[in-house]
Amino acid sequence: MNDSSSRHIFIVIGLAFGMLLLMSALPWGELTGNVIKDFDLFEDVFPRNYTSKTKTVATETYSDPELTELLSTAQNADKVPSEGSPKNPVVATVDSTAVENDSTETISLAETEIPEENIATGGSVRIENYGQEGPLPRFRAALSQVGNRRVRVGIIGDSFIEGDILAADLRELLQQRYGGTGVGYMAMHNDFPGFRKSVRQSDSGWIMHDIRSMSRRDSMRTLSGDYGIGSVGANTHYKGCGYAEGTKSWSCSSFTFIAPTSGTITLTIDNDSKTFEIEPSGDARSVSIDGSTASLAVKSDIDGLVGLGAYLDGTSGIQVDCMSVRGNSGLAHRRLNKRLCRQMATNADYDLIIVEFGTNALSAEQTDYTPYMQGMVQSIARLQECYPHADILVMGVGDRGVKNGAEVQSLPTCTAMVKAQRKLAMLTKTHFWDTRAAMGGPGASIAWRKRRLMNADYIHLNHDGGKELARLLFDALLCAADE
């Protein structure tokens, strides 16, 4: 080999290595909305030390200011006691600044014994009930009327359920058993519409706002965690697909909004259109069009129209609404607008709300999640105020794996988070389901990744993983409903 050829080889190798270094340095999660994950070229050579005392705040590219503020306060000043005691309990207050004429509630965080093991029978993980009645009393009562009305379940959470993961398959299982069609709630815009398999969506003219980044003066805080501001001609089109029998078509199409000025809203299903003359109002209102359909188009000529969401429903049976905000810790739900939520409930009230948060508050070093739990006590209390007819079910975090050199380990601090979330359910007298235990406990993320049910980050489930977890949750819900 001559000197010229050798130089060319070294140049090519050098350029390739340089490209890898550049790619490793780029914030891929931020640039692609977390579709492509960040990676470290030297991660296997210089593994992270998970015994460090430096605390990592969030696990996702999208930060949560409420979480950052809460943890900063807890770390920089010893003003947040660890848990409190019956003699001197810590008091968590519900912030009502976003709602007029709301009184402030308090909840005592007195010491409560936490069971060492989850309740399980026959190898399945059951829903733990910490209320004063039997398990899921409101949901069970609603199921007894499922043939005559729509029973609505809402799942609120972060990117763990993004793209209708978990919710799509839980919806299918419930609709197969109890009836129902459609996918329920839909946002006005989706950054990655192709990721969701249960419905097709296209839109234009909307500027979206989500609950993590809203200012304290923004009162548009609803259960979904986001809303859209539409320009003249803003529109969204939803189309059913064959993911499941219930996603092919539906019979009740509605749109919920706030109109700052007068104008028109047009709903179109298949070949039938209906135009509504809208007068300005600060209240949430809904317009609807009935008829079996496989598509819905929403269009408006109202500049500044606040789009709170569309609903693709059946007339009876079960509906499961999936409402995810990437990077959300759940703390911002402490400031839900009660008046606005109750107005929206006239069109879409809930019998069961499943709360899936905690992933973004989980870190490799933190072993005490009391401050986060205290903040979430406020969020659950607010949900109970806004939706008094709904049972609340807290989902514990799933197992999370982390790379330490070439080895993947189950994150030990998941145990502390699950403990805090179980206590959250105890203090708020709601329900708890141990997701991590249902997945198989410590090490489950490694096993699920080997079965191709989890993404390479060892945090997020793929669609097949969502189907598996949905079956486990469905079994737990049936067990509770039959008690």
Side-chain angles (χ1 to χ4, degrees):
M1 184 179 294
N2 57 41
D3 292 341
S4 178
S5 297
S6 298
R7 282 197 301 271
H8 287 158
I9 291 173
F10 283 117
I11 290 172
V12 170
I13 293 174
L15 287 173
F17 187 70
M19 287 295 294
L20 285 172
L21 284 175
L22 177 61
M23 291 175 67
S24 180
L26 288 173
W28 289 106
E30 183 177 353
L31 293 174
T32 66
N34 221 27
V35 172
I36 301 176
K37 304 295 181 182
D38 296 339
F39 70 94
D40 184 354
L41 183 63
F42 299 105
E43 185 176 14
D44 291 343
V45 181
F46 303 109
R48 297 177 183 177
N49 178 10
Y50 291 107
T51 61
S52 168
K53 294 183 179 180
T54 303
K55 296 184 178 180
T56 305
V57 175
T59 65
E60 295 189 355
T61 304
Y62 288 66
S63 63
D64 187 329
E66 299 246 2
L67 176 64
T68 302
E69 180 182 353
L70 182 144
L71 294 184
S72 176
T73 301
Q75 291 171 10
N76 297 334
D78 291 327
K79 295 181 180 180
V80 181
S82 60
E83 288 191 7
S85 63
K87 295 181 179 180
N88 186 26
V90 180
V91 175
T93 61
V94 176
D95 188 333
S96 303
T97 56
V99 187
E100 296 180 0
N101 301 323
D102 267 353
S103 59
T104 300
E105 270 190 30
T106 60
I107 294 182
S108 174
L109 298 182
E111 194 71 44
T112 305
E113 182 181 356
I114 297 177
E116 294 181 359
E117 296 182 357
N118 184 35
I119 303 171
T121 58
S124 63
V125 174
R126 299 181 63 187
I127 291 172
E128 302 168 27
N129 171 34
Y130 297 108
Q132 297 178 345
E133 304 174 68
L136 302 176
R138 296 170 180 84
F139 183 56
R140 284 189 292 121
L143 288 178
S144 68
Q145 307 169 23
V146 72
N148 300 317
R149 74 172 181 93
R150 187 185 305 120
V151 176
R152 190 175 292 277
V153 178
I155 307 181
I156 59 174
D158 50 35
S159 62
F160 192 79
I161 60 169
E162 187 175 14
D164 218 18
I165 286 178
L166 172 68
D169 296 288
L170 180 62
R171 181 187 304 114
E172 180 183 8
L173 290 167
L174 287 169
Q175 289 183 345
Q176 285 176 349
R177 184 176 181 90
Y178 296 104
T181 58
V183 297
Y185 168 83
M186 292 294 300
M188 306 315 300
H189 169 75
N190 188 337
D191 286 335
F192 307 102
F195 181 55
R196 181 166 179 166
K197 296 182 177 181
S198 55
V199 68
R200 297 185 181 93
Q201 178 176 349
S202 58
D203 53 73
S204 64
W206 299 100
I207 297 176
M208 298 301 292
H209 302 263
D210 73 61
I211 200 165
R212 294 172 305 108
S213 55
M214 293 178 191
S215 71
R216 294 294 177 93
R217 292 173 294 178
D218 192 336
S219 63
M220 301 296 176
R221 297 171 181 266
T222 65
L223 187 66
S224 70
D226 63 9
Y227 66 92
I229 299 292
S231 57
V232 174
N235 64 90
T236 305
H237 182 235
Y238 310 99
K239 186 174 178 59
C241 62
Y243 182 82
E245 189 62 32
T247 62
K248 295 178 181 178
S249 63
W250 57 93
S251 54
C252 299
S253 305
S254 62
F255 170 55
T256 302
F257 62 92
I258 296 175
T261 60
S262 60
T264 64
I265 295 173
T266 300
L267 302 184
T268 302
I269 56 171
D270 296 336
N271 296 319
D272 186 18
S273 292
K274 189 174 183 180
T275 298
F276 301 85
E277 296 289 338
I278 305 299
E279 295 298 323
S281 172
D283 293 332
R285 291 172 288 170
S286 297
V287 292
S288 63
I289 182 170
D290 294 336
S292 181
T293 183
S295 69
L296 167 66
V298 180
K299 187 174 183 179
S300 169
D301 64 4
I302 302 173
D303 191 24
L305 180 74
V306 179
L308 297 174
Y311 296 85
L312 319 180
D313 295 329
T315 56
S316 60
I318 292 274
Q319 190 50 267
V320 178
D321 296 346
C322 181
M323 295 168 278
S324 65
V325 175
R326 190 178 296 188
N328 191 9
S329 70
L331 293 172
H333 280 68
R334 294 178 293 182
R335 278 177 275 277
L336 288 184
N337 187 322
K338 180 181 177 181
R339 182 180 65 86
L340 185 56
C341 287
R342 293 314 302 156
Q343 289 175 353
M344 294 182 68
T346 60
N347 180 60
D349 206 354
Y350 290 90
D351 302 290
L352 172 64
I353 298 175
I354 300 173
V355 180
E356 180 280 310
F357 291 116
T359 298
N360 295 284
L362 190 63
S363 72
E365 300 84 14
Q366 191 165 344
T367 58
D368 182 6
Y369 291 96
T370 298
Y372 175 67
M373 179 199 66
Q374 292 174 340
M376 284 302 296
V377 165
Q378 299 173 39
S379 292
I380 297 299
R382 196 58 163 174
L383 286 174
Q384 292 170 322
E385 284 186 279
C386 295
Y387 294 96
H389 308 303
D391 287 319
I392 307 294
L393 171 60
V394 177
M395 279 184 65
V397 293
D399 189 56
R400 174 186 167 190
V402 289
K403 291 190 71 175
N404 189 8
E407 183 183 1
V408 179
Q409 302 172 344
S410 187
L411 189 65
T413 55
C414 285
T415 302
M417 175 60 80
V418 172
K419 177 181 177 181
Q421 290 175 313
R422 176 178 278 113
K423 187 165 185 180
L424 166 64
M426 288 180 169
L427 292 170
T428 54
K429 295 181 172 58
T430 54
H431 301 77
F432 177 73
W433 190 61
D434 193 338
T435 308
R436 192 185 192 212
M439 291 175 64
S445 57
I446 302 166
W448 280 50
R449 174 61 183 166
K450 287 181 179 179
R451 295 172 59 199
R452 299 183 180 180
L453 301 176
M454 182 168 277
N455 293 336
D457 61 3
Y458 290 89
I459 301 173
H460 297 90
L461 302 178
N462 56 30
H463 287 281
D464 289 338
K467 182 184 289 289
E468 177 72 10
L469 190 62
R471 183 188 62 79
L472 297 169
L473 179 54
F474 173 73
D475 290 344
L477 286 170
L478 284 191
C479 182
D482 290 342
E483 287 189 17

